[in-house]
Amino acid sequence: MEPDPQALIAQARECLEGAYAPYSRFKVAAAVLDEQNRLFTGVNVENLSYGLSMCAERVAIYAAVAAGARRITAIAVTSSTAELLSPCGACRQVIAEFAAGDVPVYCDAPGMPHRWTVAELLPSGFAASRLGKG
Ligand code: THU
């Protein structure tokens, strides 16, 4: 059963202040659920060497994986602006590593969160079958 999108967005928003974004001033927070319905959150963490900055989605997913999660079942993302944010390309590939195509990705927006699926965010993505692994 899908989680309540607004509740998952609210859980992401709870950690938004912890984002470290002194360069872009654009704070992002993500919340993910794993196959045991455990919640993990993450924020973007920037670096003076800009290219080393890490997105909130990957911080949350990597925290889940470090705790033993292997399947992500829902993702929510929010930011310090009111506008709709959609995950960057690198995050989409990482999301696809751990989440099936039908997994919902809720992105905060004025009013109701926007809902994409993983497959909608990464159509024709690089698949394990290309390496003979799936
Ligand atoms: N950012 C995220 O955390 N997630 C996204 O999906 C898009 C961008 C961060 C990276 C950087 O710290 C800031 O937002 C501006 O790009």
Side-chain angles (χ1 to χ4, degrees):
M1 206 183 76
E2 281 200 27
D4 173 2
Q6 280 171 316
L8 201 56
I9 290 279
Q11 278 167 315
R13 204 175 294 127
E14 262 181 44
C15 64
L16 187 61
E17 273 318 298
Y20 179 74
Y23 307 108
S24 73
R25 307 240 165 243
F26 184 69
K27 292 186 167 192
V28 185
V32 304
L33 294 174
D34 77 352
E35 65 271 54
Q36 298 173 55
N37 219 30
R38 293 184 297 174
L39 175 76
F40 297 91
T41 55
V43 294
N44 56 332
V45 181
E46 298 185 346
N47 193 278
L48 176 61
S49 178
Y50 297 166
L52 301 182
S53 300
M54 180 57 63
C55 293
E57 295 93 319
R58 276 177 282 166
V59 171
I61 290 171
Y62 294 157
V65 171
R70 290 296 179 268
R71 302 313 304 163
I72 298 298
T73 58
I75 299 169
V77 190
T78 188
S79 79
S80 49
T81 70
E83 275 139 57
L84 175 65
L85 167 137
S86 80
C88 80
C91 287
R92 292 175 192 213
Q93 186 71 44
V94 170
I95 289 169
E97 180 77 21
F98 297 104
D102 61 354
V103 163
V105 181
Y106 306 112
C107 294
D108 208 356
M112 271 297 281
H114 188 84
R115 178 189 184 279
W116 278 289
T117 63
V118 171
E120 285 168 343
L121 289 176
L122 194 68
S124 312
F126 181 57
S129 55
R130 302 272 174 228
L131 292 177
K133 307 242 183 253

